[in-house]
Amino acid sequence: MTGTAKATVFVDNERVIVTEYRFAPGANTGWHRHGHDYVVVPLMDGKLKLVTKDGVTFAEMKKGAPYFRREGVEHDVINANDSEYAFIEIELK
């Protein structure tokens, strides 16, 4: 990924990759395709802008409320808040 969000990998082994993403206001992940099924766990409430080939949507995130997505998702994720935003992503190998 080539975006401006800060990615910190905490675990990368034969089973999972666990990464924390921290976004300044307006920061993004950069366009990417997920190569694994994954779970995202928001570390705070907030809103993310999701840019896909089909257009733009917004996701309301709730602290501690995880969600699951399948391999193959392609998008750019952008912090739509006026303050820092962060989540943990757990990729399942």
Side-chain angles (χ1 to χ4, degrees):
M1 288 184 247
T2 60
T4 54
K6 181 182 179 202
T8 303
V9 176
F10 290 111
V11 178
D12 186 351
N13 62 31
E14 68 282 353
R15 306 280 310 266
V16 298
I17 304 168
V18 179
T19 307
E20 177 188 75
Y21 287 92
R22 289 209 168 263
F23 300 75
N28 70 318
T29 59
W31 187 265
H32 61 281
R33 179 187 183 280
H34 286 268
H36 305 284
D37 291 350
Y38 65 100
V39 175
V40 169
V41 182
L43 297 178
M44 56 196 70
D45 292 344
K47 186 189 301 187
L48 295 176
K49 180 179 179 180
L50 306 169
V51 180
T52 70
K53 63 180 168 71
D54 297 323
V56 175
T57 58
F58 289 86
E60 291 291 335
M61 310 294 280
K62 296 296 178 194
K63 179 180 179 180
Y67 66 87
F68 170 82
R69 296 288 183 269
R70 294 254 179 226
E71 171 186 358
V73 171
E74 292 185 54
H75 57 190
D76 187 10
V77 179
I78 302 159
N79 180 2
N81 303 287
D82 293 330
S83 58
E84 181 182 67
Y85 190 77
F87 61 76
I88 299 286
E89 178 182 271
I90 305 155
E91 297 176 86
L92 310 171
K93 293 184 177 179

